[in-house]
Amino acid sequence: MATANSTQPLADQPELTSSNDTSQGPSPDTTADVTNKLANEARISSGPSSENIPPTGGVIKNLFPHPLPTAQPVPLPALTADQEAKYNDLLKTASSWTEIADSAAKNPPKSPITEDERMWLTKECLLRYLRASKWNLHHAEQRVLGTMTWRREYGVEGFTSEYISPENETGKQIIFGYDINGRTCHYMAPARQNTKKSDRQIHHVVWMLEREIDILPPGQETICLLINFKESSSGSNPSIAQGKQVLDILQNHYPERLGRALIINVPWFVWGFFKVITPFIDPLTREKLHFNEDLTKHVPPSQLTKAFGGEVDFEYDHSVYWPGLTQLAEQRRKDMHERWVKGGKQIGEHEGYLRGGIEKSLSGLSAQPSGGGSVEEKKTLETTVQSLGDLSIQA
């Protein structure tokens, strides 16, 4: 029987279901009540959480695949009639796209839109671009197309785990745990820098962003970034040019994805770095930056590593963590694609449905088994949790 500090890659766990969800409900764009219900999906349907794998009695080397049941996503306000109309217009436009430019060059060649690109065009994706564009429909449309072209030209889908692996051998970046709102936590420790400045360092950041988005729970769209500059040096920290490049990627191609950024142990030379790049940071993004705060106000201690002031005795072992992260993300992407296909391969599909939450698909399908899951599913769940932590759950 494996223990909580098992060195085996952590497999994804079956999702718990909500047996009392019987309402169809109106559109989430028209009532605040349904918006709040969907925002709570992560808590209701997050499945076996890290609460079932308490960080006691040993070193943790793997990921926690789910947030705590107490995690409460902050609900977005319901759409106004004007915003709903603009969303419908953008959805109609996006649904008409058959080809996408392969590069940002003048008069570039175009290729047919792929299945993965169509699945990427979820309802929430389109809404993120509309919000980031301050509901300017034309601007949002151009930004969505710009990101799709950038993803092709930059090669986002082509970055493999094997290609990125050397960058993370020291654990300078990890995805671990979830904050109080169910956001995936992305840790950065510049002092663990192990490679020379190169394009692959930026590719590394993008690859990690993609993986933490893969494992977001239902009802949550944003991430939590944690940076600890303890023992870092000017040589181990990113250059100003790299900082601007990453900032450009985040703001242009991952809009509305940063929920909060928690930055601690900031040395004087890093303050100078932030002073230089601050003018390039969107005002709304700046409001999400928190410096030298008590991180347990934002992340439960049982989800936070000791290096950042939490309770989890996490030890980075690349041979354990890297395949664990890769396998978990791959399984989540596979599950989402299967749901998307079952739902009719529709542009504008609901992310809550794709992530296995309580929200139904555009065609009315449920991602969860009726009745809260079968006996066999519950047995599988119990066996999985016991194999992870020699624990048991009550039927």
Side-chain angles (χ1 to χ4, degrees):
M1 188 71 69
T3 60
N5 60 339
S6 170
T7 58
Q8 295 301 314
L10 180 62
D12 199 3
Q13 301 176 27
E15 295 161 333
L16 288 175
T17 58
S18 176
S19 59
N20 60 356
D21 176 36
T22 58
S23 62
Q24 297 287 331
S27 166
D29 295 338
T30 56
T31 68
D33 288 343
V34 180
T35 300
N36 292 338
K37 181 196 73 173
L38 297 179
N40 287 329
E41 282 184 322
R43 177 177 60 83
I44 295 171
S45 62
S46 60
S49 73
S50 58
E51 192 172 61
N52 294 323
I53 316 170
T56 58
V59 174
I60 301 296
K61 296 185 178 182
N62 266 315
L63 295 83
F64 291 156
H66 299 281
L68 294 174
T70 54
Q72 289 278 3
V74 178
L76 292 169
L79 298 183
T80 65
D82 180 63
Q83 290 170 344
E84 187 172 359
K86 288 180 177 178
Y87 166 73
N88 288 330
D89 286 343
L90 182 56
L91 174 62
K92 183 178 180 180
T93 299
S95 299
S96 70
W97 294 335
T98 58
E99 292 183 322
I100 301 295
D102 295 325
S103 78
K106 188 176 181 180
N107 299 319
K110 294 184 178 182
S111 299
I113 188 170
T114 67
E115 275 205 356
D116 286 342
E117 289 170 333
R118 288 173 57 85
M119 188 176 78
W120 180 80
L121 289 166
T122 62
K123 177 177 186 175
E124 289 74 16
C125 174
L126 298 178
L127 287 173
R128 284 191 290 271
Y129 279 86
L130 279 166
R131 291 195 300 270
S133 302
K134 297 179 172 54
W135 298 94
N136 182 310
L137 184 59
H138 176 73
H139 188 201
E141 178 186 337
Q142 294 305 306
R143 287 191 64 174
V144 173
L145 284 170
T147 291
M148 296 179 76
T149 293
W150 171 80
R151 292 177 69 87
R152 286 184 171 192
E153 188 171 22
Y154 199 64
V156 173
E157 299 297 333
F159 298 153
T160 65
S161 172
E162 293 76 18
Y163 166 67
I164 299 296
S165 177
E167 289 291 338
N168 214 67
E169 288 180 349
T170 58
K172 63 188 177 188
Q173 293 187 45
I174 63 168
I175 299 167
F176 183 86
Y178 298 80
D179 75 0
I180 59 175
N181 301 117
R183 300 182 181 96
T184 47
C185 291
H186 183 170
Y187 294 75
M188 292 185 174
R192 290 175 173 256
Q193 182 58 264
N194 63 316
T195 59
K196 295 180 180 180
K197 290 178 172 58
S198 67
D199 289 340
R200 191 174 64 180
Q201 288 186 339
I202 310 300
H203 299 166
H204 180 207
V205 175
V206 171
W207 191 88
M208 294 293 279
L209 280 170
E210 291 285 317
R211 301 296 74 79
E212 62 188 317
I213 290 171
D214 286 339
I215 65 174
L216 278 171
Q220 182 55 264
E221 301 178 37
T222 61
I223 64 170
C224 177
L225 182 63
L226 302 94
I227 307 176
N228 186 357
F229 284 100
K230 186 177 181 180
E231 299 180 357
S232 67
S233 64
S234 57
S236 65
N237 289 310
S239 66
I240 291 176
Q242 285 180 314
K244 288 182 178 178
Q245 186 178 358
V246 170
L247 185 61
D248 176 76
I249 290 173
L250 287 173
Q251 293 188 156
N252 289 322
H253 305 304
Y254 294 89
E256 300 287 307
R257 281 298 195 183
L258 180 65
R260 59 167 58 99
L262 310 173
I263 306 161
I264 60 174
N265 297 314
V266 184
W268 65 268
F269 53 84
V270 173
W271 283 121
F273 171 82
F274 278 112
K275 186 176 181 179
V276 171
I277 68 169
T278 293
F280 301 96
I281 302 177
D282 179 86
L284 292 178
T285 301
R286 286 203 296 268
E287 293 178 3
K288 300 174 183 178
L289 305 180
H290 302 264
F291 293 90
N292 295 324
E293 294 186 5
D294 178 1
L295 301 191
T296 59
K297 295 179 180 179
H298 305 283
V299 183
S302 63
Q303 295 272 294
L304 187 66
T305 68
K306 287 184 175 180
F308 282 75
E311 300 174 351
V312 183
D313 189 7
F314 179 83
E315 176 183 302
Y316 188 78
D317 184 334
H318 192 66
S319 67
V320 175
Y321 178 88
W322 198 248
L325 170 61
T326 301
Q327 291 168 15
L328 179 63
E330 286 178 350
Q331 184 61 51
R332 295 287 175 87
R333 291 198 305 276
K334 178 183 176 183
D335 292 343
M336 285 190 286
H337 186 265
E338 288 179 353
R339 294 184 188 109
W340 184 69
V341 171
K342 289 180 181 178
K345 299 184 177 181
Q346 299 192 62
I347 288 177
E349 187 58 90
H350 301 297
E351 287 182 7
Y353 161 73
L354 294 177
R355 296 189 184 280
I358 62 175
E359 189 172 13
K360 295 184 183 296
S361 70
L362 290 173
S363 59
L365 294 181
S366 174
Q368 300 183 352
S370 60
S374 66
V375 173
E376 288 302 315
E377 287 170 332
K378 291 178 180 178
K379 287 182 179 179
T380 301
L381 171 57
E382 184 172 355
T383 301
T384 302
V385 174
Q386 286 179 336
S387 69
L388 288 170
D390 199 17
L391 304 169
S392 62
I393 58 175
Q394 299 297 319

